[in-house]
Every structure is written in structure tokens, then in C-alpha cells.
Amino acid sequence: MAGTTTAGSWKSKAPATPGRRAGSPPGGTPRQRVSPDGALPGGPGAAPAPAGPANRWTVLLVLCVSLLFVALDSTVLHVAIPALTEALRPGPVQLLWIVDAYPLAAASLLILFGTLGDRVGRRRVLLLGYALFAVASAVASMASDASVLIGARALLGAGGAMIMPATLSIVRQVFPDRRERALAIGLWSAVAAVGAAVGPVLGGFMVQHYWWGSVFLINIPLMAAIWPLARWLVPESTGDRDGPWDLLGAAMAGLGILGAIVGIKRLGAGASPLDPPTLVSLVVGVALLVLFVRRQRRLKHPLIDMSMFSRPAFSTSVGCIVVAMLALVGLELIAVQYLQLVLGLHPMQTGLRMLPLTFAAMAAGLLGSKVLHRVGPRLMVVTGFTLTASAVLALTVMGEHDRPLLLTAAFVLLGFGLETTLFGAYESMLSECPAGQAGGAAAIGETAYQLGAGLGIALLGSVMNAFYAPGVRHLPGVPRADSRGAGHSLGEAYDLSHQLGGRPGAVLRDAARQSFVHGLHVTLVVSAVLLLLGAAAALRLPRAFDGSADPHAIACGGTSEPGTEATEPAGPTGSAEPTDEAATGSGAEAARVGAQAEGRVGAKSRV
């Protein structure tokens, strides 16, 4: 087929025609494969490419499978907690770190590895992430005590931090046309939703038929299969390599994010803001992040170009991701408690009740591209926030009795609205950033995702506790110590009511249920207000969708090959270089073409 490529060269069966260089795709813009130093293929400094053709949709498939592993591991451990607790006997603090080590390590290392990919190569960081993920999975599956498992989970988080921004930044590179990129991001986000939903189901199957460590062991053969495919098919790309990589800045960002998220998580767990560990974590984390921003503004070659945040579309998109995740994670946590403790559903029934939310999110991801084309980023994100707020307010009708149809409808609306919001925000953020900063921008988006999740648990959890605890105080016949203990959580209130028994136990149980439902309603209203504020902020996004192609992205699928770095804009004749026909024209035309060629040589590539 004309335009089909092989490694290191163009090959075409179509003969050369006027206005088109031999070997370039007929009727389209020829693509120049450019090495990082600006040399053309075969010239001095040209980097070797893998020996296989790479269609952009095949590349997307590999990237989506990569993301699936990371999303699976974020939830697959949840159902294995009882089994590993029985096997390893971890203490309460160790159990908390077993769960939190993965997301904390991932969140704190996203900027480090995202910007490193821009410098040394995004595919290279992706492949290193695969290897680290496989090694950490093997260690976790064979862990003999809690400390080893915590360390392995942290290594898994580091591998995930290599994989997540790499997949998104490569999507940004290999889809130069924004319309196709929107569809690719929709598929990418739908896969993330599938992974999070399938994780508990797959984990439950493995634990039931094998042992708790098998939930990690399944990663090894999958990584062994995906590594050579990615090495063969995924194109390598880098951003601006000028200047040294700011290792100190990367460390400041990582430690700052880690401190901030640890402090936020402690607040969400009910710790006082003046509690020394909480206060120190927050103060140190925020201080390091402030110093990181100031450092990046001073550096000639920063890790992250902070001027991106001066663009309304970019900064607004990042803020929308934070608000959307704040609502999603906080509401999911409270919804699980409501379904199990108030309605009395079993864990499997609870998971089934939550599935409509996941399926709706998948549908929104798949439809997101078409919606974005029709209505534009502004209306799409505003509509997503508004739908989500409507769903949240509808849930306030829920009380102490089950209403399955209302609950299902609200979850469908909630999932569709939130994924619509996240899709529009991610797409706008990536399209607004320069191609050379794709890794850093993807890391910023994923960090906003993690920060929003932590803030959601802390903020909405605090609101819930503030309106729940007063309802179980000063109950007739209930000892003051038991009332104070019941104010910690609904689960603890049930345990204490069972110990008390008789009339006092029944009084405590009923009061706790009613107080929890009241706190849930207040929390839902607060969440709806935040979502509507997000909708108002989204009015700063562009009104219309600009579907123009990115001239700096990699073109795959018949127009380039793995190893491409940039595309070359075509001149008026459709050629990337002056042709013989153009050169033999009039003197003025020859001078014009020659000047264009000289300009291109000075800008990026050498013709």
C-alpha cells in the first residue's frame, strides 16, 4: 500500500509526481522522521527505530492494556485484605500502609517520571515501568511479612507512576489530529474505568481459588507479554532536551505532594488539624510545593513550564479534574458505607449496586469524542458537572429504606456526568499544552486526579463526621463513653450497640442510623455545591472544539514509523522540500521556495 513504512526509510509503490517527493504518501502531507538532534533518517545522529510498523490505533491498544494493569492494581487488593490480614497479621498502622503505599508512591512520583520521560524518552520510561511493575508484583506475591508487602506496594506505585503519564503523553504524541485524539482519550479513560471495576471481581476470584498473593502474581505473565509489544510498536518521543534535568526540583515536587496527601488523608481519617503529624505533613508538603513552583519560574530550563497555568484552558482543566475526583471518591466512600451499614447489603451486593456507575462512566468515555465535537469543551464540562450535581441531589431522597430504582438511576447519571467532565477536562488540558511538555502535563493531570481523591475523602469525610457525631451524644440510657465511641463511625456504633444490648443498645443503633442518614444528606448537598462551582469555573474553557492537527506530534499508521519525533509542515505544493519542478519555475518562485527551505533548516530539521 502506498505510504506504508518500514524502519528507517520511506517506501511507496506510487511514482513521484509534480509537487510530491518520491516515497511520500500520495495526496497527503509527507512526514519527516526527526531524531532528537534534528537530523533526518540516515543522517549523522539519527536514532535507530524498532523494526516494525506502528499504526496509531495499535499503539493505543498497547497503551490501554498498560493502563489496565495500573487501574486493576489500584482496587484488586481490596477484597484480599481479610485473607492477607489472617496470613501476615499486620497491625492497624501496617494495614493502613499496605492499602495506601501504592497510591501515595504513585502520586508523589508522577511529576518526576512524567518529566523524565520528556527528557530521556517516554517509551523508555514506559518499558522501565513494566519491568519494575513485574518485579514488585513478584515480591508482593511472595511477601512473608507486612513490611515486605508495604515496600513491594510502594514499588508497584513507582512502576505505576512511570506507566500512567507515559501512556497519556504518548497518546498526545501519536494522534496529531485533535478529533482522533479525543476519541483515543475517551477509549483510554473508559479502560481506566473498566480496570477499577474489574479489580475487585478479579481479586475475589483469585483469592477464592488460590491465595491472596495471586492477585499480584497475575501481573507477571501479562507484563512479560506486553513488554516486547510495546518495544516493537510504540514510537519513541521526547520533548525539549535543552539544559540539565532538574533532579532537585523533581525531589521537591515528590516530597511536597507526598506530605500534602498524607496530611489530607489524616484529616479525612478524623485527625485534628493541630495534631503534630498532620500539621507537619501539611506544612512541609505545602512549603515544598511553593518552593518548587518558585524554583521552576526561575530556571531557564524548568521541569514544568509554569506559564502553562497562565492559560485559562489549562489551569481550568486541572481544577476541574480535582473537583470531579473530589466528588467521586468522597461519594463512593460514603455510598459504600450507606449500602452496607444502613441498607444491610453484603459486599458482593454492594459491588453490584455500584456497577451501573462504572458502566455509565464507560459509556461516557466512548461517546465523549462525538459529544466534544458537537458541543465543544466548555458546554461538555459544564453539562457534566451539572448532571453530576443533579444526581447527587437526587440521592438526598434516599433514607433508611432501600429504593433500588432511584439509586440505580442516580448512579447512572453520576457516572455519566463525572466521566463526561473528566473526559472534557483531560482532553482540553492535553490539547492546550505544548507537545514537548506532554509528559509533564500528563503528570500534572494525574497528580490533580490523586489530590482530588485525597481531598474528597478528607473534606466530605469531615463534613459527614461533623453532622453524624452530634446525633449519638447524650442518648438516654447510653453511657457517655459508649456515645463518644459511637461518634467515630457507624460501624463502631453498631458494635457498641451489640455489646450494650437491650433498650440502650436499640436506642444507640437507631440514633446512629438516623444520624448517619442526616450526615449523608448534608454531605450530598455540600458536594452538589462544589460541583456547581466547578461548572461555573468551567465557563473559562474554550467554547468551540478546534479539530486542527498538531504539527509537532508523531504521525503513525501509514505516515510515519516508530522513532518519529515530529512532523514537518507542508509547503504550498504539499511537499516538505523544494521539488525539481518548483526549482525550475520562475526566478521569483525559486527564490521563494529556497527561502522557505532555509527557514525550515534553521527551525528544526535539515532538508
Side-chain angles (χ1 to χ4, degrees):
M1 185 193 326
T4 301
T5 64
T6 58
S9 64
W10 280 101
K11 292 195 176 181
S12 174
K13 295 181 181 178
T17 57
R20 184 176 67 81
R21 184 179 54 188
S24 62
T29 302
R31 310 291 183 180
Q32 293 287 333
R33 186 166 65 85
V34 184
S35 64
D37 64 356
L40 285 180
N55 178 276
R56 57 191 178 278
W57 298 107
T58 306
V59 171
L60 178 64
L61 176 62
V62 173
L63 298 177
C64 285
V65 173
S66 307
L67 180 66
L68 184 64
F69 299 146
V70 179
L72 278 172
D73 265 63
S74 66
T75 57
V76 73
L77 187 64
H78 293 176
V79 294
I81 290 294
L84 72 85
T85 300
E86 183 178 352
L88 303 181
R89 302 293 180 183
V93 175
Q94 287 180 317
L95 185 60
L96 181 65
W97 277 104
I98 287 173
V99 176
D100 286 346
Y102 180 85
L104 286 177
S108 60
L109 295 173
L110 283 167
I111 289 180
L112 188 153
F113 289 124
T115 55
L116 182 64
D118 286 340
R119 292 301 182 95
V120 305
R122 292 148 187 154
R123 185 188 63 186
R124 182 176 298 173
V125 171
L126 180 67
L127 296 176
L128 288 174
Y130 291 160
L132 183 57
F133 214 78
V135 170
S137 297
V139 175
S141 66
M142 302 299 177
S144 57
D145 60 66
S147 299
V148 174
L149 182 57
I150 292 170
R153 288 277 289 169
L155 286 178
L156 279 169
M162 293 181 179
I163 295 171
M164 282 189 287
T167 59
L168 196 54
S169 59
I170 292 172
V171 168
R172 169 72 170 81
Q173 291 290 323
V174 300
F175 286 90
D177 182 80
R178 188 177 177 184
R179 293 179 181 272
E180 287 190 342
R181 184 164 68 240
L183 177 58
I185 293 174
L187 294 170
W188 180 89
S189 60
V191 167
V194 171
V198 171
V201 178
L202 180 61
F205 175 83
M206 299 301 292
V207 171
Q208 182 176 348
H209 290 83
Y210 302 100
W211 88 106
W212 66 266
S214 63
V215 301
F216 300 110
L217 205 59
I218 58 176
N219 290 331
I220 298 175
L222 295 176
M223 286 295 170
I226 198 68
W227 198 96
L229 288 176
R231 177 68 182 85
W232 180 269
L233 296 173
V234 175
E236 183 61 284
S237 65
T238 60
D240 183 6
R241 295 186 177 186
D242 293 337
W245 184 58
D246 183 19
L247 180 59
L248 176 60
M252 291 170 63
L255 293 174
I257 292 169
L258 179 63
I261 292 182
V262 168
I264 290 169
K265 280 183 171 287
R266 288 185 61 85
L267 289 175
S272 168
L274 300 179
D275 181 47
T278 305
L279 183 61
V280 170
S281 295
L282 288 173
V283 170
V284 172
V286 172
L288 284 173
L289 290 176
V290 171
L291 291 174
F292 169 75
V293 171
R294 294 181 63 181
R295 177 179 175 83
Q296 298 307 299
R297 286 177 173 172
R298 292 197 308 266
L299 291 178
K300 182 179 180 181
H301 303 289
L303 277 178
I304 295 175
D305 183 4
M306 289 298 165
S307 65
M308 289 192 295
F309 286 95
S310 65
R311 304 175 184 179
F314 186 88
S315 57
T316 301
S317 297
V318 172
C320 288
I321 292 171
V322 172
V323 174
M325 286 308 301
L326 186 154
L328 175 62
V329 175
L331 289 175
E332 278 190 340
L333 179 65
I334 296 171
V336 168
Q337 295 180 59
Y338 172 77
L339 292 172
Q340 292 189 6
L341 299 178
V342 176
L343 300 185
L345 301 180
H346 296 299
M348 182 61 72
Q349 293 173 314
T350 301
L352 292 175
R353 287 293 187 93
M354 300 290 289
L355 280 180
L357 188 153
T358 303
F359 290 146
M362 291 166 53
L366 295 174
L367 295 174
S369 177
K370 292 183 178 180
V371 175
L372 186 65
H373 296 166
R374 290 180 179 274
V375 305
R378 180 189 300 178
L379 184 57
M380 182 176 188
V381 177
V382 169
T383 302
F385 271 128
T386 305
L387 289 175
T388 308
S390 301
V392 167
L393 291 175
L395 288 172
T396 59
V397 179
M398 299 296 298
E400 296 183 47
H401 302 287
D402 192 6
R403 296 186 179 183
L405 292 180
L406 174 62
L407 193 65
T408 300
F411 277 174
V412 168
L413 195 60
L414 182 68
F416 193 90
L418 276 172
E419 180 59 26
T420 297
T421 301
L422 288 170
F423 176 91
Y426 267 112
E427 200 284 332
S428 297
M429 180 195 72
L430 284 178
S431 295
E432 189 68 17
C433 76
Q437 292 276 337
I444 290 172
E446 294 297 329
T447 303
Y449 188 99
Q450 298 290 343
L451 283 174
L455 285 170
I457 295 173
L459 178 60
L460 298 186
S462 298
V463 171
M464 181 72 194
N465 291 336
F467 285 88
Y468 162 74
V472 295
R473 294 175 187 162
H474 311 299
L475 297 175
V478 178
R480 181 171 298 180
D482 290 334
S483 294
R484 189 163 47 248
H488 295 158
S489 69
L490 183 57
E492 190 167 346
Y494 282 174
D495 291 338
L496 291 170
S497 68
H498 180 71
Q499 295 174 15
L500 286 173
R503 175 70 178 168
V507 169
L508 178 58
R509 185 179 182 86
D510 291 342
R513 281 168 57 91
Q514 294 173 9
S515 183
F516 185 90
V517 172
H518 172 64
L520 173 63
H521 290 167
V522 175
T523 305
L524 291 171
V525 172
V526 170
S527 180
V529 171
L530 291 173
L531 290 166
L532 291 176
L533 290 175
L539 294 173
R540 300 180 67 205
L541 291 173
R543 181 189 300 273
F545 174 79
D546 179 10
S548 59
D550 182 356
H552 301 292
I554 298 171
C556 299
T559 57
S560 188
E561 76 251 29
T564 56
E565 172 63 20
T567 59
E568 180 72 19
T573 63
S575 175
E577 64 179 356
T579 61
D580 294 339
E581 291 83 351
T584 55
S586 66
E589 178 66 10
R592 180 182 65 79
V593 172
Q596 287 179 344
E598 269 189 23
R600 284 194 293 272
V601 169
K604 177 66 178 174
S605 61
R606 188 176 305 278
V607 177

